[in-house]
Amino acid sequence: MKRVLGKIWLSIMAVAMMSFVGVGFSSSAQAGDIKDWQVKIVKLVAKKQVYPRAAMRKELEGRAKVRVNIDRSGAIVSHEIITPTGEEVFDKEIPKLIERINPLPTPPSELGDDQLSFVLPLSWVIR
């Protein structure tokens, strides 16, 4: 196999890029708890995300956005690819990643809904 250019980066974009649907914060302490929870999600995704070998061989890159719906315990109840990567190999990897990260860390109590929805940006990048 041809040597891949530099490092392969598997990551979700910055924590700030996670956008929550219908979430308001009433204090900076609560916002801090939510940010800590987001960081836990970022670390979990980074640990569980893989670069498909077929994509590495072809030096493919991709970015996607996935809407994730979770319950109060952090269990993923559904997901939807809202922006596919355009590369079948990555788009097929997304449901596998969702299975590997399920359940997510328990959301903070400040996020009071029974179900929460957020957009998870994913990227597969060769650097």
Side-chain angles (χ1 to χ4, degrees):
M1 176 168 69
K2 171 165 72 167
R3 189 166 193 277
V4 178
L5 310 171
K7 293 184 177 182
I8 297 173
W9 292 87
L10 303 173
S11 65
I12 65 175
M13 294 172 205
V15 174
M17 296 294 292
M18 290 176 63
S19 57
F20 290 81
V21 177
V23 174
F25 311 128
S26 61
S27 77
S28 62
Q30 290 174 338
D33 291 343
I34 293 166
K35 183 172 180 160
D36 291 344
W37 175 65
Q38 289 175 315
V39 169
K40 289 177 186 177
I41 293 172
V42 168
K43 288 179 179 180
L44 177 62
V45 172
K47 181 178 177 180
K48 300 290 185 170
Q49 189 177 6
V50 298
Y51 213 109
R53 287 182 186 195
M56 268 196 279
R57 277 194 307 273
K58 296 177 183 177
E59 297 184 8
L60 299 175
E61 296 184 340
R63 296 181 192 284
K65 291 184 182 177
V66 181
R67 183 177 322 283
V68 178
N69 298 300
I70 64 171
D71 65 17
R72 288 297 314 149
S73 71
I76 297 173
V77 295
S78 66
H79 75 279
E80 172 191 8
I81 300 172
I82 56 176
T83 306
T85 65
E87 296 290 347
E88 184 178 0
V89 66
F90 294 128
D91 293 340
K92 284 183 174 182
E93 176 60 28
I94 293 169
K96 295 174 189 175
L97 174 62
I98 296 298
E99 286 181 29
R100 288 191 301 271
I101 65 172
N102 194 12
L104 292 171
T106 304
S109 59
E110 292 86 3
L111 299 176
D113 295 338
D114 288 339
Q115 285 197 7
L116 301 168
S117 178
F118 59 91
V119 176
L120 184 66
L122 299 170
S123 61
W124 290 265
V125 180
I126 300 170
R127 292 197 180 155

